[in-house]
Amino acid sequence: MSGTNIKVNSVLPARTATEASRAAPISLPAGSYDLDDLSKAAKDASQAKNDEERGELHQRIVDDLNQTVLPTNSLGVGPGYKRVDVLDERLDVTESRVVFDPDNRDAAEQAQADYVAPIDPAAVKAAADAPTPKGE
Amino acid sequence: MAWNHKSRVVAMAVAIQVVAGVFTAPVAADIVPVSPPTNTEDAITTEDPTSTGSVHTAPRIYLGKTASISATAALRGPGGAAPFVANAWPLGRVLQAAGFAEVHNAAAIAGALQAGSTTTALKLAAAAPATDDIYIGFPIQQSTIGAGAIKGTSLIQDYDGTSKLATIAETMSGAPAAAAAYTIPPCVVYQLGTLSVSPPLLSVRIWRDKKRYDYRDVRVSQITFDMPVSNEQNQVFPSIEFSLKGLVEAVADDVAPALTAAQLTTIAPFRNGKFTLDKVALGHQSTRFQMGSDVAGASNAAALAGQDGYEIMSTTRTLDMDINQMAVTDFNIETRVDNQTEISQMSLWGGAAGNRWGFLAPSVVLNPLNNPGDRNGFVNLSGNSAFVAVDKSATLALWWD
C-alpha cells in the first residue's frame, strides 16, 4: 500500500432549511429534456417565494420541457372519446366525464373496425358437428 | 408461396406511441439492433364448465390475446460528432419506456472550480445549477481524476445545488485546487425516475424474414443492464436485455429491412475502464442492474380489450455483482454490510466518442457479499445490493468528448 494518507467522504457543509428548500430536486418523469433549459428553469424556480410556488414552477418545468409525448387516452379514454368537466346541477358537483367526441369520429370508427369480435358460435359448432365422410 | 423464412433474418424497430390504442408505425430508421428476439402471443382464456354430456370437458373460452417480446441489444453507441437530438436513439426509447428521463447536454460545460473541493467532491463554478441532484449520473472530467476520455472521466453521484459540490463516485489523490478547470462533456444521461407518471408507450415492429409482427400499447416489463468485463476467460460484451408486454396490432407479409452500417456501430467491450464500489476501485467480472416491473391494465368495459392500456404497477430493482476477493485492508465489506452504509457503484468503459458508457447506482446497501467462490481459479465474491434511492436511483450516461 502507498504511504499517502488522504481523507475521503468529508462531511458536506451544513445548509439552512431555506437554502435546502431553494435547491429542492426536481423529479423528472420519463421523457426527453434539454439540460440547459432544465438548469435555467430550475434556477428561476429556486428564486420562488415559497415552497408552494416552487412546486408549481417545478410542475410547469416538467410539463413544458418534456420533449417526449406521454401517452394520452390512458385514463379510461378510448379513441374517439374525450374528458369534459360536467356540472351536475342536482348534486351541485363538477365531475370529469368521458363523452363521445364528434370531432374525433374517425378514430372511433377505426377502433370499432379494428375490434376483433368473438366469432359466431353457431358457425363453430356447426363445423365441429358436421359428419366427415369416411376416408377423408 | 414462401415457406423458407429464415430465422436469422430479423429486425426490430421501436417508436414512441403518441396515443394509447393507436399504433405508431416504426420505420427502418427506428431499428434497434438486437440478437434474434422472441415474440409470442399469449392467449387469454377461461374454462367453460358446461357439461358436454360426456366425460370430456368443453373447450376453453377464448377471450383474446396479448403479446410478449424479449430481446437483447448489445450496447453500441450511436457515435457521431455530437449527441443525437431528443428521442432519436431507438434504444433510448426503450429506456424512456422503462421510466428513464433522457437528459441532453448538447455542448460541453467548461468551468473553473471554486475553492473547497475535496478528494471525492468537486466544487463547481458559482454559475452551476441551483438544483440538487440535477447532475446525478453526469460525466465530469478534471485533470485530478485521470487522463483520457474514459480514465479522465468520473460520474457525479450527488450534487448540492447550494454549495455546488459535485460528489463523484471515485477517490482522487488529492483535492483539486481552486481555479482548476473541469468539463461536463456533451452527453446524454438516462436517469431512472419514480415512475409516478406513466412513461411513454411503445409501438414495436418485428420482421422475421418475409413476415412482420406489429405490437402496440407496449410497456417494459423487465430491463437489465448487463456489464461484464471482456477478457480471455470471458468473451462477452455489455448489453441491455429487455422484455415487453403489449397487444397485437397486425401480422402481415413484409420483407425485413437490412440494417445499415450506421446502425451496426462498434460494440465497446468493457475493459480499460473503471469499476468502483463506494468510491474504491476494485477488480470485478460483472455487474447486472435489473428492474422487473409488474404491468397490468385497469378493467374498463368501454375499452375494446375490456381493459385500459398497460400501466407499470410496481418494480423491483437489484444490482448483482461478481467481484474479486480483496484484502480487508483494501475494502472492508463486513463493516459496510453491518452498518448498512449507503454506497455507490460506478462502471465506466467505452471506445470512440458517442460510444463511451457510464453506469451509476448512486445509493445502494450491500447484502452480504462475503460469499467466496471460484471464478477461473481465482476467489470471487458474488452477491447483490438493494437500492436505497427512489428518484434517480440508476443512471446510464453516454458522452462525446
Side-chain angles (χ1 to χ4, degrees), chain B residues 278-292:
Chain B
D278 198 13
K279 306 186 185 83
V280 181
L282 296 173
H284 88 302
Q285 173 48 43
S286 68
T287 47
R288 278 174 68 86
F289 163 68
Q290 296 189 69
M291 185 175 78

Side-chain angles (χ1 to χ4, degrees), chain B residues 331-350:
Chain B
F331 187 77
N332 193 325
I333 290 180
E334 292 300 281
T335 301
R336 288 172 170 86
V337 171
D338 292 345
N339 295 343
Q340 286 294 280
T341 309
E342 285 186 37
I343 63 172
S344 62
Q345 191 277 308
M346 176 180 76
S347 298
L348 287 186
W349 73 95

Side-chain angles (χ1 to χ4, degrees), chain B residues 13 19 26 84 100 108 110 115 125 143 195 197 213 225 242 254 262 276 282 325 342 360 368 370-371 382:
Chain B
V19 180
F84 50 84
F100 286 81
S143 61
L195 281 159
V197 175
Y213 300 80
F225 298 171
F242 54 92
D254 190 16
T276 67
L282 296 173
Q325 179 175 274
E342 285 186 37
L360 178 74
N370 257 345
N371 305 318
S382 56

Side-chain angles (χ1 to χ4, degrees), chain A residues 10-13, chain B residues 114-118 120-125 128-129 132-133 135 156 158-168:
Chain A
S10 305
V11 177
L12 296 181
Chain B
Q114 300 184 69
S117 295
T118 71
T120 51
L122 301 170
K123 192 170 174 76
L124 306 189
D132 287 350
D133 299 346
Y135 277 148
I156 296 171
D158 191 24
Y159 178 69
D160 183 319
T162 306
S163 66
K164 317 297 185 192
L165 274 167
T167 303
I168 60 173

Side-chain angles (χ1 to χ4, degrees), chain A residues 30-61:
Chain A
S32 191
Y33 304 85
D34 180 77
L35 177 67
D36 196 37
D37 294 342
L38 265 182
S39 301
K40 284 175 184 160
K43 194 160 269 185
D44 292 343
S46 71
Q47 302 305 316
K49 277 186 296 191
N50 51 45
D51 286 351
E52 189 179 349
E53 189 177 303
R54 188 168 301 110
E56 288 171 10
L57 287 171
H58 283 185
Q59 187 58 48
R60 200 176 304 163
I61 289 170

Side-chain angles (χ1 to χ4, degrees), chain B residues 13-15 23-31 93 203-205 207 214-215:
Chain B
V14 173
F23 183 69
T24 302
V27 296
D30 299 320
I31 285 177
R93 298 169 193 162
S203 288
V204 176
R205 269 197 162 152
W207 290 267
D214 291 346
Y215 304 96

Side-chain angles (χ1 to χ4, degrees), chain B residues 65-302:
Chain B
K65 63 188 175 186
T66 59
S68 301
I69 304 161
S70 62
T72 300
L75 265 181
R76 42 168 37 105
F84 50 84
V85 297
N87 298 321
W89 188 44
L91 186 57
R93 298 169 193 162
V94 177
L95 295 175
Q96 288 190 44
F100 286 81
E102 179 186 273
V103 186
H104 293 250
N105 179 35
I109 299 170
L113 295 175
Q114 300 184 69
S117 295
T118 71
T119 52
T120 51
L122 301 170
K123 192 170 174 76
L124 306 189
T131 306
D132 287 350
D133 299 346
I134 196 167
Y135 277 148
I136 285 183
F138 272 70
I140 189 164
Q141 297 165 338
Q142 209 284 321
S143 61
T144 316
I145 293 172
I150 305 294
K151 300 278 193 184
T153 303
S154 195
L155 297 183
I156 296 171
Q157 70 170 57
D158 191 24
Y159 178 69
D160 183 319
T162 306
S163 66
K164 317 297 185 192
L165 274 167
T167 303
I168 60 173
E170 64 183 288
T171 305
M172 295 176 285
S173 58
Y182 71 87
T183 304
I184 294 175
C187 57
V188 177
V189 178
Y190 291 88
Q191 298 173 325
L192 179 59
T194 61
L195 281 159
S196 303
V197 175
S198 291
L201 284 168
L202 298 177
S203 288
V204 176
R205 269 197 162 152
I206 295 176
W207 290 267
R208 288 188 176 274
D209 201 354
K210 303 174 183 73
K211 197 169 174 181
R212 192 192 72 225
Y213 300 80
D214 291 346
Y215 304 96
R216 61 175 163 82
D217 296 326
V218 173
R219 290 283 187 206
V220 175
S221 59
Q222 182 265 330
I223 192 162
T224 299
F225 298 171
D226 187 26
M227 297 162 282
V229 177
S230 310
N231 52 38
E232 180 186 12
Q233 296 282 357
N234 304 280
Q235 298 181 3
V236 287
F237 52 85
S239 62
I240 292 183
E241 303 160 10
F242 54 92
S243 298
L244 310 172
K245 196 161 171 55
L247 301 174
V248 179
E249 167 71 12
V251 180
D253 289 335
D254 190 16
V255 175
L259 274 66
T260 64
Q263 289 167 326
L264 290 170
T265 54
T266 307
I267 302 168
F270 192 168
R271 62 184 188 214
N272 192 33
K274 294 181 182 181
F275 172 86
T276 67
L277 196 56
D278 198 13
K279 306 186 185 83
V280 181
L282 296 173
H284 88 302
Q285 173 48 43
S286 68
T287 47
R288 278 174 68 86
F289 163 68
Q290 296 189 69
M291 185 175 78
S293 309
D294 289 328
V295 297
S299 290
N300 184 354

